[in-house]
Amino acid sequence: MRIVLDAMGSDNCPAPEVEGAIQAAMDFDIELTLVGDAARVQPLLEQHTPLPANLSLTHAPDTITMEDKGLKLALKAKKKNSRTSMAVGMDMLKNGTADAFVTAGNTGGALTTAYFRLGVIEGVERPALSALVPVRGGFCAVLDIGANPDCKPEHLLQFAVMGSIYAQSALGIDNPRIGLLSNGEEAGKGNELVRETYPLLEASGLNFYGNIEGKELFGGEVDVAVTDGFTGNVLIKSSEAVAKLLVDMLRESLMGSLRTKLGALAAKPAFDELKRMLNPDEIGAAPL
Amino acid sequence: MRIVLDAMGSDNCPAPEVEGAIQAAMDFDIELTLVGDAARVQPLLEQHTPLPANLSLTHAPDTITMEDKGLKLALKAKKKNSRTSMAVGMDMLKNGTADAFVTAGNTGGALTTAYFRLGVIEGVERPALSALVPVRGGFCAVLDIGANPDCKPEHLLQFAVMGSIYAQSALGIDNPRIGLLSNGEEAGKGNELVRETYPLLEASGLNFYGNIEGKELFGGEVDVAVTDGFTGNVLIKSSEAVAKLLVDMLRESLMGSLRTKLGALAAKPAFDELKRMLNPDEIGAAPL
């Protein structure tokens, strides 16, 4: 597996990227390429000797910043000779010298660069952002979670196609079950968008489960949950916030008396496991 | 406080309603009136002697069932001489002989009956369903959570007005903070509906906090969260499902080893407190 990591993505780049890359190269049997400004990345790499043999650097002098948007962003993303770290990295996917690209940078930048340089699956008009949400017994791919706040029924159908392919190829699930997020399980429930999407999914040849609510999603009844980017974003952020509130409340409750403090200490392995599952750092990235 | 309880609401009515009414009448300093079919309710009341003096029965021969919808439901709700338990109960609000009406029955039936018999606040075109969601430091009234899956900006403005009045009169909050649920906090974020609603709320004279995400909602930053009935419904049901999944996972984790089992036993008071807060039976009802 050949992975390209954008060295210029995070707010404090490139130090965290370099550190993460070195650790990943040591821990996993992968070929890792950092892509970014050599003048800034090389000195950091030189502080670590010896460098893992499976880690290399590809120079990309330009960067998409968190402030880039609109036409400026589109040009950086689209220009044939663009030398941003995202463009250089994604071109490696395009020409087959890498298998995956990872960035902590500007989401719109990644979306736009991927759209112009990698294109989209035939028939898909808009790329979507997805999240792998921990559910009972595994994960559910939820999409769109923010790229497209206003959608048409055919977009949701396309998200279902992309989600199904993603669940098959990346999660190894045969014939993934696709759910349509709605305000009720029965066919006929939903807002206008959902009610018009339902028959498209029914006729799609996909493994369509029907409308789902939170309980089917988090109960692990489907592998892919399809929704517009507004609702999906609200769903993801609210779920994270509920989980955080619960864990905080539980911690405060447990610290309330000596008895519960002792109990919490004894039960620590269980809490650690829960914390690991809930940690957005473990699953917070959004496949595109 | 004079409360009317629909005796004919739940699936197994009227037994649970009668039992609940007797318990509430004994536990609280209220005037409680059951409204429903006397032929079915009276025999159940007679099994309990002596009956609390603050509990009475008002006869309503007809019922709105879970199957009633469309024109049939509209007529049962609207007809001047309608004798459904909902109509009779709400007429008591209208003529001032009761202060509140509670039903476990058909949500659309309650909504429609309230609309025709009680009317709506001047300027409000559509009633909304709200939920009191437990958040850090208290509760947040979220509306709409399902009455109106497709909304226009002026509907969201009206929900904000209703939510503000509700938070003032029912929760005792001066100048309630109103948040607009969105996929980002910044003004300008949102789907088309949210982007068009934002300036209306800004100009409304309400205490408008701005756009909110899950973290502001569950972090207790606002008293009222306004959204369309589709997104609100997804939010509520997903939050409940996440909370349930977490508690189930924690329980299973804790039962994993003797050490964590003993810890769980010692920490039981904290879990009981958490369970009580999360129990939909404590806060599951939806003010209309």
Side-chain angles (χ1 to χ4, degrees):
Chain A
M1 180 88 144
R2 299 159 305 168
I3 298 174
V4 185
L5 176 63
D6 183 358
M8 316 306 286
S10 72
D11 289 341
N12 303 311
C13 74
E17 283 85 350
V18 168
E19 200 165 318
I22 291 170
Q23 206 176 311
M26 291 194 301
D27 289 357
F28 300 103
D29 182 22
I30 51 173
E31 289 292 320
L32 197 57
T33 304
L34 278 163
V35 57
D37 185 356
R40 294 177 59 194
V41 178
Q42 192 62 45
L44 293 172
L45 284 173
E46 280 164 8
Q47 288 172 21
H48 295 261
T49 46
L51 274 177
N54 55 339
L55 176 61
S56 60
L57 170 63
T58 295
H59 178 54
D62 204 0
T63 318
I64 290 182
T65 70
M66 290 294 177
E67 284 68 44
D68 283 333
K69 52 186 175 180
L71 181 62
K72 189 173 170 200
L73 176 61
L75 289 175
K76 279 189 174 182
K78 187 172 194 298
K79 274 196 314 192
K80 208 174 153 54
N81 60 353
S82 174
R83 300 287 289 157
T84 70
S85 55
M86 288 192 195
V88 171
M90 292 203 197
D91 286 350
M92 292 173 69
L93 295 187
K94 181 82 176 178
N95 65 30
T97 56
D99 303 307
F101 175 78
V102 177
T103 180
N106 183 327
T107 307
L111 205 65
T112 313
T113 305
Y115 182 83
F116 284 122
R117 306 193 94 81
L118 303 176
V120 288
I121 296 164
E122 201 186 321
V124 171
E125 292 164 64
R126 301 201 203 176
L129 280 173
S130 70
L132 274 183
V133 174
V135 301
R136 176 156 289 280
F139 290 93
C140 176
V142 178
L143 75 174
D144 180 25
I145 62 158
N148 310 282
D150 290 288
C151 289
K152 299 210 167 92
E154 46 279 26
H155 298 139
L156 265 57
L157 172 63
Q158 294 160 14
F159 300 162
V161 171
M162 289 191 282
S164 186
I165 294 172
Y166 178 75
Q168 268 172 328
S169 59
L171 305 179
I173 297 167
D174 274 342
N175 205 17
R177 297 159 300 173
I178 315 286
L180 177 61
L181 193 63
S182 184
N183 60 339
E185 300 151 60
E186 307 87 346
K189 282 275 184 178
N191 56 8
E192 211 181 307
L193 174 65
V194 164
R195 291 195 311 273
E196 288 178 12
T197 303
Y198 193 99
L200 300 184
L201 286 173
E202 252 191 327
S204 66
L206 295 167
N207 186 3
F208 181 44
Y209 176 96
N211 284 339
I212 56 166
E213 300 182 347
K215 71 173 179 296
E216 287 83 22
L217 200 168
F218 289 100
E221 300 289 322
V222 298
D223 305 302
V224 177
V226 171
T227 185
D228 65 272
F230 181 82
T231 309
N233 194 277
V234 168
L235 170 80
I236 294 293
K237 286 176 177 165
S238 301
S239 303
E240 284 175 4
V242 168
K244 186 174 178 306
L245 177 66
L246 279 186
V247 172
D248 288 352
M249 274 168 39
L250 188 60
R251 185 179 301 128
E252 287 157 26
S253 263
L254 285 171
M255 292 300 129
S257 77
L258 183 62
R259 172 183 160 179
T260 55
K261 264 186 214 172
L262 291 173
L265 197 66
K268 192 168 179 298
F271 291 118
D272 288 347
E273 192 186 325
L274 188 68
K275 219 159 124 188
R276 193 186 49 75
M277 270 210 63
L278 293 176
N279 188 348
D281 298 346
E282 298 231 347
I283 50 136
L288 184 62
Chain B
M1 180 89 145
R2 298 159 304 167
I3 298 174
V4 184
L5 175 64
D6 182 0
M8 316 306 286
S10 73
D11 288 341
N12 304 312
C13 73
E17 283 85 349
V18 169
E19 200 164 319
I22 291 170
Q23 207 175 310
M26 291 192 303
D27 289 357
F28 299 103
D29 181 22
I30 51 174
E31 289 293 320
L32 197 57
T33 304
L34 277 163
V35 56
D37 184 357
R40 293 176 61 196
V41 179
Q42 191 61 47
L44 293 173
L45 284 173
E46 281 164 8
Q47 287 171 24
H48 295 260
T49 44
L51 274 177
N54 55 340
L55 176 63
S56 61
L57 171 64
T58 295
H59 177 55
D62 204 0
T63 319
I64 290 183
T65 69
M66 289 296 177
E67 285 68 43
D68 283 332
K69 52 186 175 182
L71 181 63
K72 188 174 171 200
L73 175 61
L75 289 176
K76 278 189 175 183
K78 188 173 194 298
K79 275 196 316 190
K80 209 173 150 54
N81 60 353
S82 175
R83 299 288 289 159
T84 70
S85 54
M86 289 193 194
V88 171
M90 292 202 197
D91 286 349
M92 292 172 71
L93 296 186
K94 183 80 178 179
N95 65 29
T97 55
D99 303 305
F101 176 78
V102 177
T103 179
N106 183 329
T107 308
L111 206 64
T112 313
T113 305
Y115 182 83
F116 284 123
R117 305 194 94 81
L118 303 177
V120 288
I121 296 164
E122 200 185 322
V124 170
E125 293 164 63
R126 300 200 204 177
L129 280 172
S130 71
L132 273 184
V133 174
V135 301
R136 176 158 289 281
F139 291 93
C140 176
V142 178
L143 73 171
D144 179 26
I145 61 158
N148 311 283
D150 289 288
C151 289
K152 300 209 168 92
E154 46 280 25
H155 298 139
L156 265 58
L157 172 62
Q158 293 160 13
F159 300 163
V161 172
M162 288 192 281
S164 186
I165 293 172
Y166 178 74
Q168 269 172 325
S169 59
L171 305 178
I173 297 166
D174 272 342
N175 205 17
R177 297 159 299 172
I178 316 284
L180 177 60
L181 192 63
S182 184
N183 59 339
E185 301 150 60
E186 307 87 345
K189 282 275 184 179
N191 56 10
E192 212 180 306
L193 174 65
V194 165
R195 292 195 311 273
E196 288 178 13
T197 303
Y198 194 98
L200 300 184
L201 286 173
E202 252 191 328
S204 66
L206 294 167
N207 185 3
F208 181 44
Y209 176 95
N211 284 340
I212 57 164
E213 300 181 349
K215 71 174 178 297
E216 287 83 22
L217 199 168
F218 290 99
E221 300 290 321
V222 297
D223 305 302
V224 177
V226 170
T227 185
D228 65 89
F230 181 82
T231 309
N233 193 277
V234 168
L235 170 81
I236 294 293
K237 286 178 178 164
S238 301
S239 303
E240 284 175 3
V242 169
K244 185 175 179 307
L245 176 66
L246 280 185
V247 172
D248 287 353
M249 273 168 40
L250 188 60
R251 185 180 301 128
E252 288 158 26
S253 263
L254 284 170
M255 292 300 130
S257 78
L258 183 61
R259 173 183 160 179
T260 55
K261 264 186 214 172
L262 290 173
L265 197 65
K268 193 168 176 300
F271 291 119
D272 289 346
E273 192 185 325
L274 187 69
K275 219 159 122 188
R276 192 186 50 75
M277 272 211 60
L278 293 175
N279 188 349
D281 299 345
E282 299 231 346
I283 51 137
L288 184 62

